[in-house]
Amino acid sequence: MGILYIFIIGTVFGSFFGVILDRIPAHESIIFGRSHCNHCDRTLSLRDLIPIFSQIFSKFSCRYCHKKTSLIYLFLEISCGIIFVSGWLGLIDFTQFLFIILSVILSTFDYRYHSFPLVIWIIFTFILLLTSSSVLTDYIWLILSILAGIFDLKIGSGDFLWLFSASLSLTFLQEMIVIQIASILGITYFVIHKKRVEIAFIPFLTTAYISLILYQFIQSYFFK
Ligand SMILES: [Zn+2]
């Protein structure tokens, strides 16, 4: 019962992050204003706001204008539910918990808009810095992010800012492994889709980070 309760709390947070995803780029208030359909602007009622279920019952479309809603909201709700349960069960520590939540939010922004919500990154990273210990080499990523903002390094500043936050829960070797896994995933995606466009890299970095955590967990659980 406890697990279900924690999962539901996670989905509520995921739903809120969906609101952030819509409203920050539109310069709308995150706290004030009722939720509305992005297409027809109709205000959503309580029955449209229940995480996961509302979307399933409305067949992933607006009840008023029938415009399909993006699956990104369902992804946010389910993944936050799983992350909250993982944290509650002690499968991940607080730093990893906070960082994975941040990564999921940043991934959705990168995927949808190719943008990086700096305010969200600052809030989460500030808490991460308070709750974890950083070493001098972590700050290389911050310097690289500034350089990427000035020069065209073919990698966005946001990716380096992500790496800085990631470094707070990783060793330098682990950071290198994460970058390699993400690069392999990114190249594979690029080859399959044959798209000559800028790809969102943070979703791949996030997938690589979670894979590493999962691998370490399995290794410590089964082969200790
Ligand atoms: Zn609508």
Side-chain angles (χ1 to χ4, degrees):
M1 200 61 205
I3 289 183
L4 186 68
Y5 182 66
I6 297 294
F7 181 81
I8 291 168
I9 292 176
T11 61
V12 171
F13 271 88
S15 182
F16 174 66
F17 298 144
V19 172
I20 288 179
L21 179 70
D22 283 342
R23 294 195 184 179
I24 284 189
H27 301 288
E28 290 175 33
S29 165
I30 291 164
I31 301 157
F32 302 105
R34 297 277 303 273
S35 289
H36 54 83
C37 167
N38 290 333
H39 190 245
C40 68
D41 233 26
R42 281 280 291 267
T43 304
L44 302 180
S45 64
L46 198 63
R47 60 176 277 202
D48 302 309
L49 301 172
I50 304 159
I52 302 173
F53 289 102
S54 290
Q55 295 186 60
I56 294 171
F57 289 132
S58 66
K59 298 191 184 77
F60 304 101
S61 54
C62 170
R63 276 202 297 133
Y64 309 103
C65 69
H66 305 292
K67 172 92 178 167
K68 283 271 173 217
T69 48
S70 170
L71 288 177
I72 218 163
Y73 306 107
L74 186 71
F75 164 77
L76 271 169
E77 289 163 6
I78 291 177
S79 53
C80 285
I82 294 170
I83 298 162
F84 269 64
V85 169
S86 305
W88 191 70
L89 292 175
L91 305 178
I92 45 175
D93 64 29
F94 183 70
T95 308
Q96 292 167 333
F97 167 80
L98 215 56
F99 178 67
I100 296 173
I101 295 272
L102 170 66
S103 296
V104 167
I105 300 171
L106 295 180
S107 295
T108 54
F109 272 85
D110 200 7
Y111 174 76
R112 182 181 268 186
Y113 311 112
H114 284 286
S115 78
F116 189 89
L118 197 60
V119 182
I120 292 178
W121 177 81
I122 290 171
I123 294 168
F124 274 84
T125 306
F126 180 71
I127 304 170
L128 282 170
L129 280 167
L130 292 179
T131 55
S132 60
S133 50
S134 58
V135 291
L136 209 58
T137 48
D138 296 344
Y139 291 88
I140 293 171
W141 303 118
L142 267 191
I143 296 165
L144 282 171
S145 82
I146 295 166
L147 290 177
I150 303 169
F151 308 105
D152 184 16
L153 300 184
K154 297 286 173 210
I155 300 175
S157 331
D159 300 331
F160 288 120
L161 292 179
W162 182 93
L163 279 162
F164 172 69
S165 309
S167 71
L168 299 173
S169 57
L170 296 174
T171 64
F172 195 70
L173 179 67
Q174 289 173 327
E175 288 159 35
M176 292 301 124
I177 294 170
V178 164
I179 293 170
Q180 282 188 8
I181 299 172
S183 303
I184 293 166
L185 292 173
I187 291 165
T188 310
Y189 177 88
F190 199 75
V191 169
I192 292 172
H193 289 264
K194 294 189 183 71
K195 275 187 191 166
R196 291 255 167 255
V197 290
E198 192 188 334
I199 61 164
F201 198 47
I202 291 180
F204 296 113
L205 285 167
T206 302
T207 309
Y209 179 90
I210 294 170
S211 307
L212 183 72
I213 299 284
L214 212 60
Y215 171 76
Q216 284 176 330
F217 174 76
I218 291 166
Q219 206 184 30
S220 67
Y221 193 81
F222 294 102
F223 305 103
K224 56 185 162 192

